[in-house]
Amino acid sequence: MNNQSLQRAAMISEHLAPTSELNMNQTSAPIKTAKEELADFVEIFPILTNEILKELPGMDMPPQTIAWVEKMINVNVSGGKMNRGLTVLHSLQLLVEGRQLSRSEIFLANVLGWCVEWLQAFFLVADDIMDQSITRRGQPCWYRQANPISNNGTIGSIAINDSFILESCIYILIKKYFRNEPYYADILDIFHETSYQTELGQLLDLTTQPNRGDFSLFTLNTYRRIVKYKTAYYSFYLPVALAMLMAGITSTPAFSTAKDILLPMGEFFQVQDDFLDCYGSPAVIGKIGRDIEENKCSWMICQAILNGTPEQINLLKKHYGLDNPTDVELVKKIYGEIGLKKIFKDYEDESYAFLISKIKSVRIMPQEVFIKLLSKIYKRDL
Amino acid sequence: MNNLKKNDKEVLEEFANLFPILLNEIKKELEKIDFPKESIHWIETVIKANSTGGKMNRGISVLESLESLNEGRALTRHEIFQAQTLGWCVEIFQACYLVSDDIMDQSLKRRGKPCWYKQKRPNSDQEVGLAAINDSFIIESCVFILLEKYFKNESYYLNIVELFHKTGFQTQLGQLLDLTTQPIRGDFSSINLKNHTRITEYKTAYYSFFFPVALAMLMSKINHEQAFTTAKDILLPMGVYFQVQDDFLDCYGSPEVFGKIGRDIEENKCSWMICQAILNGTPDQINLLKKHYGFDNPTDVEIVKKIYKEINLEKIFKDYENTSYNFLIDKIKTTCIYLPPSVFLKILSKIYKRDK
């Protein structure tokens, strides 16, 4: 458990609304610190993994296949910061304002939180293959790890099938724990829908890989659409929407309101990621940024094109998208000349103000749901 | 006139005509969210290129099974439409796995054409390549969009969604078994009929044979476990028989009729053919097979085929085919208590002694 997660967890505590003792009841769970909540969340992961694995012998799977699935799940599902997963419980706590959650409700919220983590794992394993990435969370990407069964070679393209298995795990867990809940069908539909949205976002990203030096596709409109679909739906909207379903919220306007706030918040988060890819410390962000080398449609290059002089843009066309330290330094130098750090700071402040004003006008659900999320991401330099 | 039954060709044509309607529904949903035209075109092309061009037997089986399960009464137009829509969901679902399997297997051809990942991107000179992985996910998602659109209000909606999930999982486990029990060249320890049957059941038989019939059963409101167990007991062996035919045709079928060039020998596959050769060959023949099986070299391949001939695998296959047919017929005849035999006889008649 790294310091960044603890700092974020501490931030969460500051925003927890005080609970009136008058609303306590015998079925409610004791109030817990953010650290304890995190421990509770982590604690159920082996339980859920076991629910999946224990079905496999009955399906005539040999021991080495079961061991493969187990390792694949452990490597790819746990090990992240789990912010998306934790958001389900945190949102639910705020949505049922006025009462404490029961132990059962907390458990179920955390199960859905893990389903979100599983969903992300499914996409990350596949994305790493398609991007031919090298490392993920400080270790080799799954497809590049040693094949645990054959003594030579890497997992390679078998990882494609593994990503499908990660996806299937989601529906095994949902069926086991939610089959008798009135919102079961809605949960299935929202996972299907979010998967589709994320895949559409990936398609937009894959087909916005222009020839090097061609900047016609690097526009903020293109960028916003990719981010909305590829990241914002599953990272911001899905966890809150699941909590809303658990809270019994069914009105379409409520989900539209959530979408109107959470999708822009997701964009804001991704812009930060793009900024940190270029200016963040590798030791803190957990990876070496390569957006420039890989010719990515990053917010940074979009803004540079919008704000640069024709000479600067021509230089960028010459040097952007080349995996060469000299070219990368030249691009960063031009970013410095254009003043992208200040442009980012201005964007950050404007986005914050925009989001706050939108949140303040919400009447259909507690504003704290969104304020808490925003507080986790605003001015992060992690 | 009311009793005039459509012939098989008309049924197939009516089924085929539904595909553009369903594809258009997917397209309309994308237009609603203001998705770029080029991306919509890409998705249309992916689904069309990979879901059509086959024999559609799996898709057609849903309606045919539903008809058999409801013997004695005509299906309503709505029921026919729903069954055909489910049939297309089965075909599209299969397409998702064919696309991803071809990447993992590094296959070259599918249904006589280059595999999707080897084709040119729509409106581009660039190969689809690894983007095909995401395409297979999109194909899968489109199935669930269609299910929600057309079945959300049916009482059996959750059951069919769960069956798609379960069948997907079974198919994925089958693929994992196949990929992780790839025999090491020259090592025949994992090449045996038990492994072949297990891989085949999970990788192919569930989604190709059990799945369409099970969907028709759910549409018919059949929900007791024993009925599904009975269906499984007949359809999984039928699926294994089908795969054995595929393995035989990979080696002895005509590429023009079969639609692809067989490469099981080159790729060191756990094929029924090599399993039988190991069971029936002399120690000398088996040693020669160990020496030559699994090489992408015409000379080695010819030697393997020569040994297959010496062992007389064609006769062994013919005997197996007759034995399997009789076994299946016997089993089908004892199922009257739960399900009408016509459900299974229709499917068996399509695959018995096929050449492609």
Side-chain angles (χ1 to χ4, degrees):
Chain A
M1 211 63 62
N2 59 45
N3 275 331
Q4 292 81 23
S5 295
L6 289 175
Q7 284 170 31
R8 285 186 174 146
M11 233 189 286
I12 293 163
S13 298
E14 293 169 21
H15 293 272
L16 285 173
T19 304
S20 166
E21 290 185 16
L22 292 175
N23 292 315
M24 294 286 288
N25 61 69
Q26 293 187 9
T27 61
S28 65
I31 297 169
K32 295 202 170 183
T33 65
K35 187 173 176 179
E36 283 167 338
E37 278 178 349
L38 186 57
D40 283 352
F41 186 72
V42 171
E43 188 179 0
I44 74 169
F45 175 70
I47 294 169
L48 302 185
T49 302
N50 189 58
E51 285 301 323
I52 292 159
L53 296 176
K54 75 180 192 185
E55 285 191 20
L56 300 182
M59 296 174 79
D60 200 22
M61 292 296 121
Q64 76 265 21
T65 301
I66 297 172
W68 179 293
V69 174
E70 181 171 19
K71 178 167 186 183
M72 192 264 293
I73 290 171
N74 282 329
V75 167
N76 294 293
V77 179
S78 65
K81 286 172 284 197
M82 297 170 284
N83 283 333
R84 291 170 187 79
L86 287 162
T87 297
V88 180
L89 176 60
H90 294 158
S91 300
L92 184 63
Q93 284 165 340
L94 294 170
L95 287 168
V96 296
E97 50 189 343
R99 75 169 177 88
Q100 284 300 109
L101 296 173
S102 66
R103 276 182 209 281
S104 168
E105 284 171 314
I106 290 169
F107 177 80
L108 290 180
N110 283 340
V111 172
L112 285 180
W114 276 111
C115 288
V116 175
E117 294 293 320
W118 241 279
L119 184 70
Q120 176 175 246
F122 152 51
F123 290 126
L124 295 186
V125 168
D127 282 6
D128 287 348
I129 303 164
M130 289 186 272
D131 291 344
Q132 291 290 281
S133 300
I134 297 169
T135 60
R136 167 73 62 180
R137 295 169 183 158
Q139 55 178 341
C141 299
W142 175 247
Y143 80 98
R144 296 185 72 251
Q145 295 196 18
N147 187 315
I149 288 182
S150 79
N151 286 322
N152 58 310
T154 58
I155 290 166
S157 63
I158 299 178
I160 298 169
N161 191 62
D162 286 338
S163 62
F164 274 110
I165 291 176
L166 289 168
E167 184 195 27
S168 283
C169 293
I170 296 165
Y171 298 104
I172 292 169
L173 294 171
I174 291 172
K175 181 177 179 181
K176 179 177 175 63
Y177 292 105
F178 296 89
R179 190 55 166 93
N180 295 321
E181 300 291 343
Y183 50 84
Y184 173 60
D186 296 309
I187 291 179
L188 290 178
D189 290 344
I190 198 170
F191 269 96
H192 292 151
E193 196 172 304
T194 304
S195 294
Y196 187 43
Q197 285 154 344
T198 308
E199 290 149 11
L200 292 177
Q202 176 71 354
L203 177 64
L204 290 171
D205 197 16
L206 288 164
T207 55
T208 311
Q209 305 276 321
N211 296 320
R212 211 206 62 76
D214 174 5
F215 282 176
S216 60
L217 292 171
F218 288 164
T219 68
L220 281 181
N221 262 0
T222 300
Y223 176 80
R224 282 195 191 101
R225 186 154 36 199
I226 293 172
V227 169
K228 176 182 171 186
Y229 284 96
K230 188 172 175 180
T231 303
Y233 271 106
Y234 91 87
S235 295
F236 285 80
Y237 177 69
L238 178 63
V240 174
L242 290 169
M244 289 166 69
L245 291 173
M246 281 196 74
I249 296 172
T250 55
S251 81
T252 300
F255 288 92
S256 295
T257 296
K259 211 171 282 187
D260 282 349
I261 293 168
L262 295 167
L263 297 184
M265 200 181 293
E267 175 188 314
F268 174 52
F269 180 84
Q270 185 61 49
V271 170
Q272 286 178 328
D273 245 28
D274 290 5
F275 179 81
L276 293 171
D277 181 272
C278 185
Y279 288 119
S281 153
V284 173
I285 69 177
K287 66 169 184 173
I288 298 164
R290 285 179 53 82
D291 282 359
I292 296 171
E293 289 90 332
E294 291 168 9
N295 203 38
K296 288 292 171 97
C297 181
S298 164
W299 183 87
M300 303 292 279
I301 188 66
C302 291
Q303 286 290 348
I305 292 164
L306 269 182
N307 291 279
T309 64
E311 287 76 33
Q312 285 169 328
I313 293 169
N314 278 332
L315 273 174
L316 287 170
K317 283 182 180 178
K318 200 171 171 186
H319 297 285
Y320 192 76
L322 292 167
D323 192 351
N324 178 294
T326 306
D327 292 293
V328 173
E329 278 313 304
L330 281 166
V331 171
K332 287 186 175 180
K333 179 170 168 286
I334 296 168
Y335 282 178
E337 287 168 10
I338 294 174
L340 277 193
K341 279 181 171 174
K342 179 172 193 305
I343 292 171
F344 171 75
K345 288 290 192 285
D346 291 345
Y347 167 85
E348 188 170 47
D349 291 342
E350 284 160 17
S351 292
Y352 182 79
F354 167 80
L355 288 166
I356 285 289
S357 75
K358 237 169 145 57
I359 292 168
K360 293 298 188 188
S361 69
V362 169
R363 296 289 176 265
I364 202 166
M365 64 187 4
Q367 296 177 5
E368 287 82 6
V369 175
F370 308 111
I371 290 173
K372 171 180 263 192
L373 267 175
L374 186 56
S375 70
K376 289 195 209 181
I377 68 173
Y378 182 53
K379 297 226 175 188
R380 64 185 175 115
D381 55 6
L382 306 170
Chain B
M1 192 63 70
N2 286 337
N3 288 329
L4 183 66
K5 196 172 171 75
K6 295 193 178 85
N7 61 40
D8 285 351
K9 188 178 173 183
E10 282 168 341
V11 170
L12 205 62
E13 191 171 326
E14 187 173 300
F15 182 69
N17 287 343
L18 181 58
F19 179 75
I21 293 170
L22 300 178
L23 188 59
N24 194 56
E25 286 302 322
I26 291 166
K27 181 181 177 185
K28 274 161 55 184
E29 292 296 320
L30 291 167
E31 283 165 351
K32 256 187 235 174
I33 57 174
D34 199 27
F35 215 61
K37 231 174 299 176
E38 318 83 62
S39 300
I40 294 177
H41 178 61
W42 177 298
I43 292 169
E44 277 188 293
T45 305
V46 173
I47 295 173
K48 193 183 299 184
N50 294 290
S51 304
T52 60
K55 287 169 287 190
M56 299 180 284
N57 280 335
R58 292 171 189 79
I60 289 284
S61 289
V62 180
L63 177 56
E64 288 177 342
S65 300
L66 189 67
E67 284 169 344
S68 297
L69 290 167
N70 292 273
E71 278 171 1
R73 76 166 179 91
L75 298 176
T76 65
R77 262 187 213 287
H78 177 71
E79 284 171 317
I80 292 169
F81 176 84
Q82 294 294 73
Q84 286 173 333
T85 300
L86 268 186
W88 274 113
C89 289
V90 169
E91 291 290 323
I92 297 169
F93 198 63
Q94 174 185 246
C96 151
Y97 289 105
L98 299 184
V99 169
S100 59
D101 281 5
D102 287 348
I103 303 164
M104 290 185 269
D105 292 343
Q106 289 290 284
S107 301
L108 302 177
K109 290 259 179 117
R110 167 74 63 180
R111 294 169 179 159
K113 288 190 287 184
C115 299
W116 174 249
Y117 78 100
K118 287 241 167 251
Q119 292 190 29
K120 289 288 193 291
R121 298 182 176 204
N123 304 326
S124 169
D125 275 339
Q126 197 181 348
E127 210 174 59
V128 174
L130 291 172
I133 297 169
N134 190 61
D135 288 341
S136 66
F137 296 157
I138 288 177
I139 294 169
E140 184 194 37
S141 283
C142 288
V143 169
F144 292 105
I145 286 165
L146 291 171
L147 291 179
E148 186 178 354
K149 180 176 178 63
Y150 291 106
F151 297 90
K152 188 64 188 280
N153 295 323
E154 300 283 357
S155 61
Y156 53 82
Y157 172 63
L158 290 175
N159 298 96
I160 60 177
V161 169
E162 286 172 358
L163 184 58
F164 272 88
H165 288 153
K166 184 164 186 181
T167 304
F169 188 46
Q170 286 159 340
T171 306
Q172 292 151 18
L173 290 176
Q175 178 73 348
L176 182 61
L177 274 175
D178 193 18
L179 294 164
T180 57
T181 52
Q182 291 283 304
I184 296 162
R185 214 217 63 76
D187 175 2
F188 284 172
S189 59
S190 63
I191 299 186
N192 55 67
L193 285 179
K194 178 173 157 65
N195 275 349
H196 179 269
T197 299
R198 181 162 54 189
I199 292 168
T200 299
E201 279 184 353
Y202 280 91
K203 189 173 173 181
T204 303
Y206 270 107
Y207 89 85
S208 295
F209 287 81
F210 175 70
F211 184 39
V213 174
L215 288 170
M217 289 166 69
L218 292 173
M219 281 193 74
S220 301
K221 311 302 199 301
I222 294 169
N223 53 24
H224 54 286
E225 198 60 34
Q226 189 58 52
F228 288 91
T229 302
T230 297
K232 198 175 294 184
D233 285 349
I234 294 166
L235 293 165
L236 295 189
M238 200 180 294
V240 172
Y241 166 54
F242 180 85
Q243 183 63 47
V244 170
Q245 286 177 325
D246 242 32
D247 290 0
F248 178 80
L249 292 170
D250 181 273
C251 185
Y252 287 118
S254 153
E256 291 76 40
V257 175
F258 197 41
K260 69 170 184 173
I261 299 161
R263 284 179 54 81
D264 283 359
I265 296 171
E266 288 90 333
E267 291 167 9
N268 202 38
K269 288 293 172 88
C270 178
S271 165
W272 182 87
M273 302 293 278
I274 187 66
C275 292
Q276 287 290 346
I278 291 165
L279 272 179
N280 291 278
T282 64
D284 291 337
Q285 285 169 328
I286 293 170
N287 279 332
L288 271 176
L289 287 170
K290 282 183 181 175
K291 199 171 173 187
H292 296 284
Y293 192 77
F295 283 121
D296 192 351
N297 177 296
T299 306
D300 291 294
V301 172
E302 277 313 303
I303 290 171
V304 170
K305 286 186 174 180
K306 181 170 163 285
I307 297 168
Y308 281 178
K309 186 171 172 131
E310 285 168 11
I311 295 172
N312 206 355
L313 278 192
E314 281 189 271
K315 179 174 193 304
I316 292 171
F317 171 75
K318 292 284 195 292
D319 290 344
Y320 166 86
E321 186 164 50
N322 289 328
T323 302
S324 292
Y325 181 79
N326 292 331
F327 167 83
L328 288 166
I329 288 289
D330 285 347
K331 223 161 159 64
I332 290 167
K333 284 176 176 171
T334 65
T335 66
C336 297
I337 186 169
Y338 291 116
L339 298 164
S342 54
V343 174
F344 309 106
L345 292 173
K346 181 94 182 188
I347 299 171
L348 184 57
S349 70
K350 290 186 193 182
I351 67 172
Y352 184 53
K353 299 214 170 177
R354 68 187 171 103
D355 58 2
K356 68 174 183 176

